[in-house]
Amino acid sequence: MAYTLANLRTDIKNFTEVDSTVFSDSVLDRLIQNAENKIYRAVDSDADRFYATSTTTNGNRYVTIPSDLRIIRYVQITNSTVTPNIHEFLEQRDTSFMAEYYNTPNTANGLPKYYANWDANFWVLAPTPNATYTITMAYIKQPTSLTDSSVSNTGTYLSNKYQDLLLYGSLVEAYGYLKGPIDMLQYYKGQYDKSLETYAIEQQGRRRRGEYEDGVIRTPLKSLNPSQ
């Protein structure tokens, strides 16, 4: 069964045998968000891959980072000042490298080759752009929580396809909030770990291999000699 927010709230209360006097909607929503964040930090999902574009400004070495960015995958720049256009990947460096590589940052110099994390909101480029270039960012985005009103009635990728993982993660948070019983906390923690492992194998393993290139996944079988 795919989980809506209402269904998941109900199951958490049923599994823990605790009613709404302890588990109000606001408390349950926080526990669900905590479980979601643990999962999102542990495993990159294909559903969270996203792409965005930005443009540089002549003489400005800063680029605004997408507000929903969690993990950067790669950055590509398009040089549209030449025909045909050239697409090149930018290399990630530390800000200290930028300072050594190009010590006149406020002067337009050329097509950027490197980028670095300046702070939570900006990247810094080197050399400083001397024209308007298009930058394509491929990244892992912040998923929409099931507790968000825009998806609470329809569900999310996680709640619709991996209900066991979200339920067990939420129950771990719930029993932690209740401060026991410890045996139930340990049980659901074990179930959560198993679900997370299989989720990771699927998302970062089986979904990212092709049968033609990698062959069909085979399980080794122990075959005894007939004479034995």
Side-chain angles (χ1 to χ4, degrees):
M1 178 187 71
Y3 270 132
T4 64
L5 178 59
N7 291 341
L8 182 56
R9 285 172 177 169
T10 298
D11 271 5
I12 294 173
K13 287 184 283 190
N14 289 342
F15 275 70
T16 57
E17 299 181 328
V18 175
D19 62 24
S20 57
T21 59
V22 175
F23 278 155
S24 64
D25 287 350
S26 60
V27 169
L28 287 175
D29 288 357
R30 174 52 59 193
L31 300 180
I32 293 169
Q33 289 171 6
N34 289 346
E36 289 173 328
N37 282 325
K38 280 186 178 179
I39 296 168
Y40 297 147
R41 285 195 296 266
V43 181
D44 294 341
S45 168
D46 287 345
D48 302 327
R49 291 189 171 199
F50 204 71
Y51 303 85
T53 58
S54 182
T55 54
T56 65
T57 303
N58 187 357
N60 183 0
R61 62 176 179 155
Y62 299 103
V63 175
T64 302
I65 299 175
S67 60
D68 60 352
L69 183 146
R70 288 182 69 99
I71 301 170
I72 186 64
R73 294 172 52 224
Y74 64 81
V75 182
Q76 192 176 41
I77 192 167
T78 300
N79 184 359
S80 56
T81 64
V82 298
T83 303
N85 295 347
I86 297 176
H87 305 277
E88 297 181 4
F89 288 96
L90 296 183
E91 299 180 29
Q92 188 174 28
R93 294 289 187 271
D94 295 328
T95 51
S96 56
F97 173 89
M98 300 299 211
E100 180 181 10
Y101 174 80
Y102 188 49
N103 59 10
T104 55
N106 295 323
T107 304
N109 184 265
L111 180 70
K113 297 180 180 180
Y114 307 103
Y115 76 98
N117 293 318
W118 182 255
D119 57 25
N121 299 311
F122 295 97
W123 287 333
V124 60
L125 304 176
T128 301
N130 64 345
T132 298
Y133 301 109
T134 299
I135 292 181
T136 300
M137 311 169 196
Y139 63 94
I140 303 298
K141 68 175 182 177
Q142 172 67 38
T144 302
S145 171
L146 181 62
T147 61
D148 191 288
S149 59
S150 65
V151 297
S152 60
N153 292 324
T154 57
T156 64
Y157 179 75
L158 185 64
S159 73
N160 287 333
K161 294 182 178 294
Y162 305 95
Q163 302 92 339
D164 58 334
L165 175 60
L166 183 56
L167 174 62
Y168 291 141
S170 299
L171 288 173
V172 170
E173 295 296 320
Y175 278 108
Y177 177 82
L178 295 172
K179 299 178 177 61
I182 190 64
D183 58 330
M184 297 304 298
L185 176 59
Q186 291 175 341
Y187 171 77
Y188 284 119
K189 179 63 167 61
Q191 294 301 308
Y192 168 75
D193 290 341
K194 292 178 182 178
S195 299
L196 184 65
E197 181 180 4
T198 55
Y199 175 69
I201 290 172
E202 178 179 310
Q203 290 294 319
Q204 298 182 172
R206 297 178 66 185
R207 285 178 62 92
R208 300 182 186 178
R209 57 176 289 155
E211 182 178 305
Y212 176 76
E213 296 86 357
D214 303 305
V216 178
I217 297 176
R218 294 175 172 83
T219 301
L221 300 177
K222 184 177 181 180
S223 180
L224 299 177
N225 189 302
S227 62
Q228 296 176 334

